[in-house]
Amino acid sequence: MKLSLGPIQYFWTRDQVFDFYERVASAPVDIVYLGETVCSKRRALRLPDWLDIAARLSAAGKEAVLSTLTLIEAESEVSYMRTIIENGRYPVEANDMAAVNMLEGVAPFIVGPHVNVYNAGALDLMARAGARRWVMPLELDRETLAALQAGRTAGLETEVFVFGRLPLSFSARCFTARAHNLPKDDCGFRCADYPEGMPLQTREGQSFLRLNGIQVQSGETCNLVNEVGELRALGVEVLRLSPQPQGMFEIIDAFRGVMDGHLEPSMAAVLLAPYQTAGFCDGYWYSAPGMQRVHA
Amino acid sequence: MELVCPAGSMPALKAAVDNGADAVYLGFRDGTNARNFPGLNFDVEEAHRAVSYAHQRGARVFLAVNTFPRPSQWHKWCRAVDQAATLGIDALILADPGLMDYTARTYPELRLHLSVQGSATSHEAIDFYVRHFGVRRVVLPRVLSLTQVQNVMKRVNAEVEVFGFGSLCVMVEGRCTLSSYVTGESPNSSGVCSPAKHVKWEESASGRRSRLNGVLIDVYAPEEPAGYPTLCKGRFEVGGNVYYAMEEPTSLNVLDILPQLYRAGVAAIKVEGRQRSPAYVAQVTRTLREAIDACAAAPEAFAPEPRWIEQLDKVAEGRTHTLGAYSRPWQ
């Protein structure tokens, strides 16, 4: 079983990004997804920068993967995606059917969590198009995964999102700019002020969601550390952690410890608690509302 | 430019057809379609009657099986496609690539439309569905600006249908799980957003409160009209301010850009609202029929008549309208 780091979903400064991956190079993760997946206006790093980071991580023995944008709106975004796909060296995670279309027959690829693969028919179609790994969509549950694992194409790997705030939706509208009464075209990159997104609370003070540019995330942190054994038994090859600014390397160590059998999941849950500022949720896994916490 | 109208029930279908819809769209009475509300939609027998009513009056019928079946539901969704194929409908509206694969192989003659739930926002995404399944028409998600729609139109090998009127989905369709995060049910998985069975109203001294599975979505002052507690149109606190953090309750209305859509070659204008009343369908269909005909007759001279706007605002959410993402400032 391998451990992966998903793409950074927030807008961190260039230095923060480089420093983060400098540390990742020596951290016990196997796969690292790189690139901007939320907003095409965030260009603190250009493709050559991402390729430099990919080279550094490859040299450190990691599998580096270039992730594509989730919501494509402009032709310029399609063109940028094409340059990512034609990089010639690193595999690509397709986060939209446009990327799948461009990768089909060109190179083996990874189907990201925002391409809707809900059944064996869709999964088989992706495998025929050249997918070698797929990430289970976030709202799916363990029964669905078990059924898909039972019939998946030989050689196709499965990855599951196991820790981080859940990206729940994407919009044309930038909610961070809206919060500041700024037009999206002149947003001033205010999302750089919120390296973990802007907290959105109900009028009763319940920490409910996070606004991250055009994306809305869960307020609670999804945490499936208690389910690592079950995921292994289901034949899942890769567990994904979503980067956050606080405690990322402690989080990596906790999951690694559980995966390698050095740490009890209950102990890991205690170690992870400080890094879930609004508590944790695991509802989707248990066919419950995603925000719920089912595992005691 | 066709006018495609919602039919959540037989009376709504008749209202659409009788008031000038070129086509109507409907779904079966279960989670196979993305408007799975109690008391709405059609069983197979009713769908037969709907098709014959529409066809006798020269209107076409599209049937939506546009949710994403999980493995345990697969056979039920395939059966919905099988049943749809016997109805003599003019097109099947699908979103799930697996189901589309099944349909294209089993019923190669059936005309396929890609649902807005298919989330295809670029010519490359559309090309995937055209190449694999021979999709003839795509419904664009409500996230593109007018310029972006025009750019997509230049590069696609399929008809394009766009939303013209109705409640505004703020998120890119097919990629929003806010509803299942709170209730366990979402448009993708159950065909519902913010399902009614999870809605609770509370009266208190400070006003009326609406909750969705316990989460406070909004508080209304006394006398303030209360909207349906859709998650993305609730009032929340961000950075110390309480406001509609995602979007106000408002309806999309494209009358102001109808000539541009017409000149771009848009094949059809779609009206949202299978959950709305026959009176809504009649009003909106009648008004848009007039507007589209005026636009087709003289696109250069077209200007929306004030009475059209007034009639549409009467049935709009929050009695107000927006161009939504078509207009850059909205974004």
Side-chain angles (χ1 to χ4, degrees):
Chain A
M1 211 180 209
K2 292 178 177 173
L3 191 58
S4 80
L5 260 191
I8 297 171
Q9 302 190 60
Y10 308 107
F11 189 42
W12 294 354
T13 65
R14 196 180 156 81
D15 286 349
Q16 266 176 303
V17 173
F18 277 101
D19 290 349
F20 179 73
Y21 287 117
E22 189 61 35
R23 289 189 69 187
V24 168
S26 56
V29 295
D30 307 289
I31 303 166
V32 186
Y33 293 86
L34 301 168
E36 177 59 51
T37 59
V38 177
C39 176
S40 62
K41 296 178 69 179
R42 299 171 175 177
R43 292 192 203 112
L45 277 75
R46 304 280 178 155
L47 186 55
D49 296 318
W50 290 114
L51 292 171
D52 285 349
I53 293 171
R56 168 94 179 88
L57 292 170
S58 289
K62 321 286 186 206
E63 179 191 335
V65 180
L66 303 175
S67 291
T68 65
L69 205 59
T70 302
L71 172 57
I72 309 293
E73 293 173 293
E75 190 53 34
S76 56
E77 293 161 0
V78 175
S79 304
Y80 182 65
M81 198 155 57
R82 185 167 285 116
T83 63
I84 292 175
I85 286 165
E86 291 170 352
N87 81 83
R89 177 163 176 201
Y90 301 102
V92 172
E93 176 186 62
N95 281 313
D96 179 86
M97 207 56 104
V100 172
N101 193 52
M102 291 155 83
L103 282 156
E104 184 173 357
V106 172
F109 60 94
I110 293 104
V111 182
H114 305 295
V115 175
N116 290 338
V117 175
Y118 279 56
N119 52 62
L123 189 57
D124 182 55
L125 181 68
M126 290 299 111
R128 281 185 277 140
R132 65 172 171 89
R133 183 157 69 230
W134 71 293
V135 186
M136 184 173 80
L138 305 175
E139 71 168 358
L140 296 185
D141 54 23
R142 58 180 174 176
E143 278 83 24
T144 299
L145 182 63
L148 292 179
Q149 290 295 86
R152 69 177 159 161
T153 308
L156 184 69
E157 291 185 336
T158 301
E159 178 167 342
V160 175
F161 186 107
V162 296
F163 191 92
R165 289 203 177 82
L166 296 161
L168 297 172
S169 68
F170 297 83
S171 176
R173 167 159 279 178
C174 175
F175 303 112
T176 307
R178 179 174 169 83
H180 289 281
N181 285 317
L182 292 168
K184 185 179 172 189
D185 285 338
D186 189 18
C187 67
F189 300 104
R190 295 303 292 267
C191 55
D193 299 338
Y194 308 97
E196 278 185 279
M198 291 184 89
L200 177 152
Q201 297 180 309
T202 69
R203 290 160 82 175
E204 291 175 319
Q206 179 188 351
S207 180
F208 181 37
L209 299 169
R210 290 264 165 164
L211 303 179
N212 176 37
I214 66 150
Q215 186 194 57
V216 178
Q217 299 184 339
S218 64
E220 276 133 344
T221 301
C222 169
N223 183 349
L224 296 182
V225 77
N226 293 301
E227 289 73 19
V228 169
E230 196 181 357
L231 288 156
R232 187 195 304 275
L234 283 170
V236 169
E237 283 87 357
V238 183
L239 303 185
R240 172 180 292 208
L241 313 176
S242 187
Q244 59 183 53
Q246 302 301 324
M248 202 58 228
F249 297 92
E250 288 80 358
I251 296 164
I252 291 170
D253 288 341
F255 271 88
R256 192 85 245 179
V258 173
M259 288 163 69
D260 293 348
H262 304 316
L263 187 63
E264 283 299 314
S266 57
M267 190 57 215
V270 172
L271 295 173
L272 290 168
Y275 310 115
Q276 308 161 154
T277 48
F280 85 85
C281 60
D282 56 15
Y284 279 139
W285 180 249
Y286 293 102
S287 319
M291 67 178 183
Q292 284 183 5
R293 173 177 173 170
V294 176
H295 195 283
Chain B
M1 200 155 60
E2 280 177 19
L3 176 59
V4 181
C5 294
S9 65
M10 198 60 175
L13 179 132
K14 289 179 177 172
V17 170
D18 297 348
N19 284 284
D22 295 300
V24 291
Y25 63 102
L26 48 98
F28 289 130
R29 193 172 290 143
D30 55 30
T32 62
N33 84 90
R35 280 289 181 276
N36 178 25
F37 291 104
L40 281 190
N41 302 318
F42 293 75
D43 62 23
V44 176
E45 203 181 299
E46 289 163 338
H48 267 292
R49 286 205 298 274
V51 170
S52 77
Y53 186 90
H55 281 180
Q56 278 165 16
R57 287 157 184 83
R60 298 200 288 159
V61 178
F62 306 152
L63 190 128
V65 181
N66 58 346
T67 45
F68 296 82
R70 302 188 190 200
S72 59
Q73 304 165 318
W74 178 254
H75 293 292
K76 187 178 172 188
W77 264 243
C78 289
R79 204 179 67 213
V81 169
D82 298 339
Q83 289 171 332
T86 68
L87 289 171
I89 52 165
D90 300 282
L92 188 57
I93 307 171
L94 297 175
D96 179 66
L99 203 61
M100 209 166 258
D101 194 40
Y102 166 80
T103 310
R105 282 188 283 110
T106 317
Y107 306 102
E109 302 305 314
L110 194 53
R111 181 182 164 97
L112 297 184
H113 291 185
L114 180 67
S115 167
V116 69
Q117 290 280 112
S119 234
T121 55
S122 67
H123 73 276
E124 285 285 355
I126 293 166
D127 184 56
F128 181 86
Y129 297 97
V130 173
R131 277 195 307 114
H132 281 273
F133 314 119
V135 160
R136 305 280 292 279
R137 180 182 290 188
V138 293
V139 186
L140 293 182
R142 282 161 279 187
V143 291
L144 300 180
S145 67
L146 176 61
T147 311
Q148 288 163 348
V149 172
Q150 289 164 334
N151 283 333
V152 167
M153 301 272 323
K154 287 178 198 154
R155 294 175 173 83
V156 292
N157 190 18
E159 295 173 6
V160 167
E161 180 172 315
V162 299
F163 275 88
F165 185 81
S167 283
L168 188 66
C169 204
V170 181
M171 309 300 171
V172 57
E173 292 92 337
R175 310 264 194 93
C176 179
T177 56
L178 284 169
S179 179
S180 65
Y181 179 65
V182 174
T183 71
E185 297 180 67
S186 67
N188 280 4
S189 56
S190 314
V192 287
C193 177
S194 309
K197 67 182 173 199
H198 291 285
V199 172
K200 203 171 134 198
W201 296 95
E202 293 170 355
E203 303 294 341
S204 74
S206 59
R208 178 183 287 185
R209 292 160 179 262
S210 61
R211 291 186 188 277
L212 192 64
N213 201 15
V215 176
L216 184 65
I217 303 299
D218 214 339
V219 181
Y220 300 92
E223 308 299 317
E224 187 184 7
Y228 187 83
T230 310
L231 262 168
C232 58
K233 291 173 185 167
R235 277 177 289 197
F236 301 102
E237 194 216 302
V238 179
N241 299 315
V242 174
Y243 65 109
Y244 292 107
M246 291 171 255
E247 172 63 318
E248 292 87 4
T250 178
S251 283
L252 179 72
N253 182 338
V254 298
L255 284 190
D256 285 335
I257 56 165
L258 213 48
Q260 288 96 317
L261 293 170
Y262 178 79
R263 281 196 296 267
V266 163
I269 299 285
K270 183 176 203 117
V271 173
E272 188 274 349
R274 276 188 289 155
Q275 74 284 19
R276 303 290 297 266
S277 70
Y280 162 94
V281 175
Q283 178 72 70
V284 177
T285 305
R286 198 160 47 229
T287 309
L288 283 180
R289 176 79 276 157
E290 235 185 287
I292 289 172
D293 288 347
C295 177
E300 302 307 326
F302 179 86
E305 291 196 18
R307 68 184 166 88
W308 296 339
I309 306 280
E310 194 185 311
Q311 282 157 358
L312 292 176
D313 275 353
K314 268 188 210 160
V315 293
E317 201 179 340
R319 299 194 159 237
T320 172
H321 66 270
T322 171
L323 271 175
Y326 292 117
S327 155
R328 284 297 299 182
W330 182 89
Q331 299 189 345

